[in-house]
């Protein structure tokens, strides 16, 4: 990982410019949208002009976030005349997607703020902290350290970003600082009960139907170390699924006793397959396994987009996982 810019260098870049685009990875999760809203709104509070972009727009499940209506679908905005583009929670520049790449191509400064260990440090200014459990926590530290305003919108967005990326403050990456941050956000008026209900007790019935379909494809290795399920295109069409419907469902199979790696295979348009991977053992690095196929992420949670068909993709990926388990001395 190359050298990080300092917060004050990023602060100077903010002070020196007036127009910004904040953008995150395709198929955005809570950390991607939350970080974009949190930083974008802080910039607006400073009087900056801000465009909020995502290749796929804001998912329905995050529309409860105030400010989310400002997120535009990148492919619909043309080429923006903004001075600065800031990518958030985006491990590789390409992962903002084609529409976003086009929309920000005239920006004269690119800032990359992220927490993925596989992030190569692209951009003119880059701040990558793999020890931060969420990009939202880095945005919190940035706002506090630069003395930028933490508005109601930024406060709630940071909480959602960090809560969703840490599995409700449970994953091993969760630090003392994460809890201190959460306590500070509560001190700033965050309604914990209400926001958690909006995040976690608010799923469409469709998602439960999806769970039923996934359970019908559930499979595992003979030794019980690897468990996986599939989402073929036929099921997506039949249930009329939205992109974010599968978000987080993999946690259910990861939770099985004895499982070390859980994998989710999903057909995408254009014959591609999305692979979502979770590891429960630091000796089995999901980001490295996904890296074999051009993907990446974190040691315990990573992903790939690769050519299908799904059956072949599954066999290729499972073979590399088996090798990794063997190398780690687990199987
Ligand atoms: P997901 O399984 O989609 O929840 O992704 C798990 C983690 O891996 C997230 O932090 C993603 O941002 C990251 N990730 C997923 N797919 C890719 C990819 N193709 N390249 C790099 N990172 C990825
Ligand atoms: Mn993300
Ligand atoms: Mn993240």
């Amino acid at each position: 990982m190359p050298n990080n810019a300092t917060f004050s260098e990023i602060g100077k870049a903010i002070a020196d410019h007036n127009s910004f685009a904040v953008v995150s990875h395709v198929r955005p999760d809570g950390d991607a949208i939350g970080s974009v809203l949190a930083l974008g709104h802080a910039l607006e509070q400073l009087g900056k002009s801000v465009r909020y972009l995502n290749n796929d727009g804001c998912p329905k499940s995050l529309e409860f976030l105030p400010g989310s209506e400002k997120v535009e679908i990148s492919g619909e905005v043309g080429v923006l005349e903004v001075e600065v583009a800031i990518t958030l929670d985006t491990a590789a520049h390409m992962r903002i997607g084609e529409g976003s790449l086009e929309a920000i191509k005239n920006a004269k400064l690119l800032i990359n703020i992220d927490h993925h260990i596989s992030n190569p440090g692209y951009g003119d200014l880059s701040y990558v902290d793999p020890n931060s459990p969420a990009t939202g926590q880095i945005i919190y530290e940035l706002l506090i350290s630069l003395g930028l305003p933490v508005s109601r919108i930024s406060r709630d967005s940071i909480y959602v970003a960090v809560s969703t990326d840490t599995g409700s403050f449970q994953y091993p990456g969760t630090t003392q600082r994460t809890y201190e941050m959460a306590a500070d956000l509560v001190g700033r008026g965050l309604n914990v009960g209400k926001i958690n209900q909006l995040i976690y007790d608010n799923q469409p019935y469709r998602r439960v139907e999806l769970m039923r379909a996934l359970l019908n494809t559930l499979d595992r290795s003979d030794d019980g170390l690897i468990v996986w399920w599939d989402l073929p295109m036929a099921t997506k069409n039949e249930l009329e699924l939205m992109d974010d419907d599968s978000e987080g469902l993999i946690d259910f199979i990861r939770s099985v006793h004895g499982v070390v790696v859980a994998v989710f295979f999903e057909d995408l348009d254009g014959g591609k397959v999305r692979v979502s991977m979770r590891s429960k053992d630091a000796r089995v690095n999901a980001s490295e396994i996904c890296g074999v196929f051009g993907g990446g992420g974190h040691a315990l949670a990573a992903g790939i987009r690769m050519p299908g068909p799904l059956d072949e993709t599954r066999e290729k990926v499972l073979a590399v996982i088996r090798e990794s388990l063997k190398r780690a001395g687990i199987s």
Side-chain angles (χ1 to χ4, degrees), residues 64-247:
F64 68 86
L65 272 172
S68 62
E69 67 286 349
K70 292 184 185 168
V71 178
E72 298 175 277
I73 298 175
S74 315
E76 296 176 356
V77 302
V79 179
L80 298 180
E81 293 310 320
V82 291
E83 296 166 284
V84 183
I86 307 181
T87 64
L88 297 166
D89 196 42
T90 306
H93 188 34
M94 289 291 288
R95 258 186 60 81
I96 61 175
E98 273 177 29
S100 294
L101 286 166
E102 179 71 9
I104 65 165
K105 72 177 185 191
N106 282 357
K108 57 180 196 220
L109 192 72
L110 179 66
I111 304 179
N112 155 29
I113 302 177
D114 185 33
H115 69 128
H116 292 96
I117 195 158
S118 60
N119 192 311
Y122 62 87
D124 302 305
L125 285 178
S126 154
Y127 188 93
V128 179
D129 179 7
N131 293 319
S132 187
T135 303
Q137 188 170 322
I138 303 176
I139 299 303
Y140 172 81
E141 301 291 6
L142 181 71
L143 300 190
I144 298 296
S145 128
L146 295 177
L148 300 184
V150 182
S151 66
R152 186 176 57 90
I153 288 182
S154 297
R155 176 198 72 198
D156 287 9
S157 304
I158 289 168
Y159 183 88
V160 169
V162 178
S163 174
T164 53
D165 251 29
T166 55
S168 301
F169 304 92
Q170 290 180 53
Y171 298 158
T174 313
T175 63
Q176 176 179 349
R177 189 70 189 143
T178 313
Y179 288 101
E180 285 166 356
M181 180 206 75
D184 181 43
L185 297 177
V186 174
R188 291 169 187 268
L190 177 100
N191 186 331
V192 172
K194 186 170 159 216
I195 202 154
N196 279 295
Q197 194 171 55
L198 287 165
I199 306 171
Y200 299 112
D201 288 341
N202 207 16
Q203 59 180 331
Y205 182 69
R206 214 178 42 244
R207 203 168 119 91
V208 185
E209 291 182 300
L210 166 60
M211 180 66 118
R212 174 166 53 195
L214 289 171
L215 284 168
N216 277 324
T217 74
L218 180 65
D219 206 349
R220 67 170 173 169
S221 55
D222 292 341
D223 53 16
L225 296 171
I226 316 171
V227 63
W228 63 91
W229 56 22
D230 299 340
L231 178 50
M233 192 56 82
T235 308
K236 290 174 81 167
N237 292 336
E238 190 189 326
L239 298 179
E240 296 178 14
L241 295 182
M242 315 272 281
D243 274 354
D244 57 325
D245 283 339
S246 60
E247 187 71 44

Side-chain angles (χ1 to χ4, degrees), residues 25 91 95 116 247 274 276 278 295-298 301-305:
H25 62 78
R95 258 186 60 81
H116 292 96
E247 187 71 44
R274 169 174 175 253
S276 187
R278 302 291 183 265
H298 310 288
I304 324 166
R305 279 176 181 234

